[in-house]
Amino acid sequence: MNVLAIDTSNHSLGVAIIKNSHVAGELVTTIKKNHSVRLMPAIQQLMASTETTPEELDRIAVAVGPGSFTGVRIGLSTAKTMAWSLDIPVVGISSLEAVAFQGQYFSGQVCPFFDARRGLVYTSLYDGSGNRIKDEANVLMNDWLLELKATETRTLFLSQDLQVHEEQITSIMGDLAVIPEASYHQPRPASMGLAAIRREPTPVHRLVPNYLRMAEAEAKWLERQEKS
Amino acid sequence: MKRDEYILAIETSCDETAAAIVKNETELIANVIASQIESHKRFGGVVPEIASRHHIEQITVVLEEVLQEAQLSVEDIDAVAVTEGPGLVGALLVGVNAAKSLAFSKQKPLVGVHHIAGHIYANRLEQEFEFPLLSLVVSGGHTELILMHEHGSFETIGETRDDAAGEAYDKVARTLGLPYPGGPEIDKLAATGAETIDFPRAWLEAGSYDFSFSGLKSAVLNKLHNAKQKQEELRAEDVAASFQANVVDVLSTKTLEAAREHNVKQVIVAGGVAANSGLRSALEAKFSDEACSLLIPPLSLCTDNAAMIAAAGAVAYRQGHRAEWDLNANPALSLERYAASGLTKEQE
Ligand SMILES: [Zn+2]
C-alpha cells in the first residue's frame, strides 16, 4: 500500500510517502509559516524523489487538528481534494495522536499538548500501549496538570510549545514529569502514514477538521442567546 | 476540428463555496454554489472563521456536483482556475489549496484568477466583449471603474477613496434596523419611498472618476440620529430612497462621463451591487441615447460564483498564464499586478 501523509496543523509542515508499507521518504520543516505556499511544492518534491506518481497512491493520511484553524484547513483541503480527485480513501489522524506516536515506547503515560493561549492547551492522554485514555479537550493547563499529578504516574510530555508551559509542568509534576529532547516533540508524518494503513477511512465529503474549539463569534452568539 | 476546451474553476473568496465549468471560454455548462448566507445572518455580517469552516466542509461536495452537472469526469478538464484574491485570506486558502491539489493530482495546468477580473468576465458568458470597454465594478468590497483595451488588460481609472458602495449600503441598512444582507433590503424599501432628503453628493474634484461614500454614510447616520433626538418622524422608505438616489446618481454619472471620455464601445456592470434595481434603471436611462451598449449581467451572475472565475480563467489560460505549485491566497491582490503576473518568461 502506498500512502501520502500530510500534516500542516501546527508548527511543522510534514509530508511522508509510505511505499509498500515502508517509509520511502519524509520531509519536515518546523518554521511555522507559509504552510499554504510550501505544502504542494513539498509534496511534489517528495513524490519526484521517491519516484511516485499521483496515480500510484492508494491512500492519503492527514492531521485533522486540533491546532491552527487555518493550518488544519490547508492540510485538509489538500488531502480531501487529492483523495477525491484520485478516488482513493482518506484517513484523518488526530494531531495530538500524531505527537503521541513519538512516545510510543515510553513505559508510563504520554501527554501530547498544543498551546491554545490564555493558559489553555489542547491535550489528551495515552497509556504505554498507545491507547487513548482521556478524551481530547481544550483545558486550562493548570487544572490538567493537577489531574495528571493525581494519577501518580510518570508522564512523558510532548509538545512543540513546551517552553510556554515547561516551568508549570515541572513545578506541579516534579519527578513525575519526563521531558525528552527537542526532536521527540516533533510529530512525524511517516508515523501518521503507517497508522493510516490500519485505520478505517472517512468518506471524503464527511472528513472535517477537529477544532476542539468553537469560532469566537459563535461562542459569543451562544452566550448572548443564553442570557436572553 | 478543434476539440472543446473545458475550464473548471473554484471560488471561495467570501461566503460562497462555488465551482463551475465553462466550455470554450464563453459557454457556461455547470455552475454550483453552496451559499452560507443563512449561517452568517445571525451575526449580521460574514464572519471569516465561520466562512472558512463552511468552505472546508463543502469543497469536495461542490466539485463532485459540478462534474455531475456537466456530465464530465476530471480527466476531461483542460485546466483548473481558482480565485487567488482579493478576499478573506482563510476562505481563499481553502479554494487555492483545493485547486492546487486537483491540478497536481491530475497533472493539469493551474491558473490563478483575480476576483474582480472574474466579476467583469461574468458578462462575457452573456455577450462577447467589444473593446475599448468600461466596467463599473460595485460590490461589498469594491467600487471601481476599469478600462479594458483588450482581453486580460485592466486599467483602474477610478476607485473609492474610503468605503465601497456596498459597505455604505450595509451600514445604512443596519442603522435602519434592516436584516443582513442590507443591500437588497434598502433597494426594496427605496422603491416605496421618495427622495425627500438632499444628502450631499460626493463628486470630488472635476474630472476625477474616484468615489467617496463615507461622507454620505455619516450624513445618513447623523440625519437619523438628529431626527430621533428631536422626536421628528422620518420615513425609513424616504431615507432609503434618498440614500440610494445619491449613490446611484454618482455611480451612473461618473460611469457615463468616463465612457464618453474614453470612447468605449461597451459599458458593463459587475459585482453584487449590479443586482440593485435602482442602479440598473438609472444606468439604463443614462445610456439609452449613447452609442455604446450597456451590459448588466443576470442576477445569478452578479453575486459571487465560480462561473465568472472560469470565464476569466479561460482567457488567462489561453494567454499563457500559469500558476506554480507555490500559488498562495493573496487577500489584497491588485488587478494590474494580477494582469502582469503568471506569464511565462518568453511572453513577458
Ligand atoms: Zn465578489
Side-chain angles (χ1 to χ4, degrees), chain B residues 124-167:
Chain B
R124 195 172 174 235
L125 297 170
E126 294 291 309
Q127 198 177 321
E128 186 52 88
F129 284 179
E130 285 174 62
F131 301 106
L133 173 161
L134 178 71
S135 180
L136 170 67
V137 181
V138 262
S139 72
H142 297 267
T143 310
E144 279 146 39
L145 278 168
I146 290 156
L147 186 64
M148 293 178 69
H149 287 286
E150 59 188 336
H151 280 299
S153 105
F154 307 92
E155 186 192 338
T156 306
I157 59 168
E159 61 194 329
T160 181
R161 294 186 183 165
D162 37 62
D163 297 348
E167 253 174 296

Side-chain angles (χ1 to χ4, degrees), chain B residues 11 13-14 115-116 119 139-140 142 271-272 302-305 308:
Chain B
E11 146 70 38
S13 68
C14 191
H115 184 79
I116 297 304
H119 272 304
S139 72
H142 297 267
C302 289
T303 47
D304 288 352
N305 61 78
M308 66 189 207

Side-chain angles (χ1 to χ4, degrees), chain B residues 131-136 145-149 157 209 251-268 283 286-287 290-294:
Chain B
F131 301 106
L133 173 161
L134 178 71
S135 180
L136 170 67
L145 278 168
I146 290 156
L147 186 64
M148 293 178 69
H149 287 286
I157 59 168
Y209 296 126
L251 288 175
S252 56
T253 304
K254 291 204 176 213
T255 306
L256 179 63
E257 284 169 5
R260 284 179 177 164
E261 185 192 329
H262 293 279
N263 267 317
V264 303
K265 293 211 175 91
Q266 262 178 353
V267 171
I268 65 182
L283 285 165
K286 277 235 158 64
F287 281 91
E290 295 296 308
C292 62
S293 59
L294 176 71

Side-chain angles (χ1 to χ4, degrees), chain B residues 10-77:
Chain B
I10 298 173
E11 146 70 38
T12 63
S13 68
C14 191
D15 60 344
E16 323 270 7
T17 319
I21 297 172
V22 160
K23 178 179 164 183
N24 301 331
E25 293 192 16
T26 55
E27 191 185 333
L28 177 60
I29 59 166
N31 192 18
V32 176
I33 302 174
S35 173
Q36 311 173 359
I37 218 163
E38 287 306 317
S39 172
H40 294 280
K41 250 183 186 159
R42 63 198 156 126
F43 305 112
V46 175
V47 179
E49 172 60 22
I50 301 214
S52 306
R53 288 186 178 201
H54 283 292
H55 287 314
I56 194 69
E57 287 164 16
Q58 292 298 324
I59 189 71
T60 54
V61 179
V62 300
L63 285 171
E64 189 158 308
E65 275 178 24
V66 85
L67 285 174
Q68 270 167 7
E69 202 176 299
Q71 295 190 302
L72 293 173
S73 80
V74 196
E75 276 72 23
D76 302 321
I77 302 300

Side-chain angles (χ1 to χ4, degrees), chain B residues 218-235:
Chain B
S218 310
V220 176
L221 303 195
N222 281 339
K223 185 84 188 171
L224 287 166
H225 183 78
N226 291 341
K228 202 172 166 192
Q229 290 220 311
K230 290 188 220 149
Q231 295 183 312
E232 201 181 296
E233 194 70 49
L234 257 190
R235 290 180 70 230

